[in-house]
Amino acid sequence: MRNTPQKNAIRKVFTDNDHPLCIKEILDLAQEIISTTNIATVYRNVNLLVEEGWLVKIEFPPLGTYYERAGKAHHHYFYCRKCKVIYVIPGCPLDLPEAVPSGFVHEGHDVFIRGICESCCNANEKCEH
Amino acid sequence: MRNTPQKNAIRKVFTDNDHPLCIKEILDLAQEIISTTNIATVYRNVNLLVEEGWLVKIEFPPLGTYYERAGKAHHHYFYCRKCKVIYVIPGCPLDLPEAVPSGFVHEGHDVFIRGICESCCNANEKCEH
DNA sequence: GTCGTTGCAAAGCCTTTGCAGGGAA
DNA sequence: TTCCCTGCAAAGGCTTTGCAACGAC
């Protein structure tokens, strides 16, 4: 993998933003560094970085495809519908192996929680804790 | 909503198959009843049935969009990578409210488990329970 | 007879791919 | 100089939409 300004910009976007990002966000942030960055280049580099094991692809229903840095400890996600940020929740709130029906073999899982994050909540008195 | 043979066929597909189905599966099963059923008609009717509250749309990462009957008790999903069926897991294996970070407000969640189902497991001696 | 529904085809999104020019090594 | 990578444009897959004909009521 050859180093190019676009590729470095995309990597910088992820080191500067420690939460999952979608293609549009990656494109916008990369264009702040290299204004001519093309969406095809973003797709190509993101796919390369996933193959390389530097990024991980996540599908957050119903938001779509997001990417985050690989190598993190097991975790899940919380999506704030106000600020539209996907937060990482460390650890696993899943009751395993009871979550898996008897006789079934567990190979992996995803947990997606939706709601309102603490800072959006604090910004709004009506928010119920 | 006017009753048409296509619409009735799509409803029958769901009453005959008690697990989430994707558009392609709905189309194939509906065409077994009305062979001329068109994919645009499936999309239109499925969207109408979702608006009507008869169906619920689910996004199963990374499989894509599925639909199931509405009104079921709270449940989650298990996808068998052998038979490609999405099984419904009744109840909730999530450790709430501990799953939600302090100060965050929970509004909903999805849990998707992947692995091998019991019957595919029994069909293969190598399968580890 | 109305007017909602259907099939078909075109168009819209998101993502990938072909290609020629450009730039990293 | 080599040849990988980029931008652009076209194409591919999934979903929606425009339109004329059809058919449920």
Side-chain angles (χ1 to χ4, degrees):
Chain A
M1 197 172 179
R2 195 172 275 181
N3 275 329
T4 62
Q6 292 85 346
K7 199 160 294 181
N8 291 332
I10 290 167
R11 269 192 286 246
K12 183 164 167 30
V13 164
F14 279 96
T15 51
D16 287 355
N17 295 274
D18 195 24
H19 59 88
L21 300 169
C22 67
I23 292 289
K24 184 67 171 52
E25 290 169 332
I26 302 166
L27 177 65
D28 290 346
L29 292 165
Q31 284 181 341
E32 288 178 12
I33 304 170
I34 313 274
S35 63
T36 57
T37 305
N38 189 276
I39 193 166
T41 301
V42 172
Y43 275 109
R44 272 189 285 235
N45 278 297
V46 161
N47 287 340
L48 283 172
L49 290 166
V50 168
E51 278 177 38
E52 221 177 82
W54 198 85
L55 282 182
V56 170
K57 184 178 189 168
I58 48 180
E59 308 276 345
F60 196 118
L63 304 174
T65 305
Y66 280 70
Y67 298 88
E68 68 178 340
R69 285 298 309 275
K72 297 191 172 185
H74 186 67
H75 60 275
H76 297 297
Y77 308 99
F78 184 102
Y79 173 70
C80 174
R81 68 171 162 83
K82 290 227 169 160
C83 63
K84 321 274 191 223
V85 167
I86 295 182
Y87 293 85
V88 167
I89 305 176
C92 189
L94 210 55
D95 196 5
L96 286 170
E98 282 166 58
V100 182
S102 150
F104 283 48
V105 176
H106 170 268
E107 291 182 341
H109 62 267
D110 292 305
V111 176
F112 302 101
I113 303 180
R114 296 178 302 277
I116 301 182
C117 76
E118 188 169 28
S119 49
C120 287
C121 205
N122 289 338
N124 176 6
E125 303 117 49
K126 278 192 239 170
C127 174
E128 292 163 24
H129 279 125
Chain B
M1 197 173 178
R2 194 172 276 183
N3 275 328
T4 62
Q6 292 85 346
K7 200 160 293 180
N8 291 332
I10 290 168
R11 270 192 286 245
K12 184 164 166 31
V13 163
F14 278 95
T15 50
D16 287 355
N17 295 273
D18 194 25
H19 57 88
L21 299 169
C22 66
I23 291 289
K24 184 68 170 54
E25 290 168 332
I26 302 165
L27 176 66
D28 291 345
L29 291 165
Q31 284 180 341
E32 287 178 13
I33 304 169
I34 315 274
S35 63
T36 57
T37 305
N38 189 276
I39 193 165
T41 301
V42 172
Y43 274 108
R44 272 188 284 234
N45 278 297
V46 161
N47 287 341
L48 283 172
L49 290 166
V50 168
E51 278 177 37
E52 222 177 83
W54 198 86
L55 282 181
V56 170
K57 184 177 190 169
I58 48 181
E59 307 276 345
F60 196 117
L63 305 174
T65 305
Y66 280 71
Y67 298 87
E68 68 178 341
R69 285 297 310 274
K72 297 192 172 183
H74 186 69
H75 59 274
H76 298 297
Y77 308 98
F78 184 103
Y79 173 69
C80 174
R81 69 170 161 84
K82 289 226 169 161
C83 63
K84 321 273 191 224
V85 167
I86 295 182
Y87 293 86
V88 167
I89 305 176
C92 189
L94 209 56
D95 196 5
L96 285 169
E98 281 167 59
V100 181
S102 151
F104 284 47
V105 176
H106 170 269
E107 292 181 342
H109 62 267
D110 292 305
V111 176
F112 301 101
I113 304 180
R114 296 178 301 278
I116 301 182
C117 75
E118 188 169 29
S119 50
C120 288
C121 206
N122 289 338
N124 176 6
E125 303 117 49
K126 277 192 238 168
C127 173
E128 291 164 24
H129 280 125

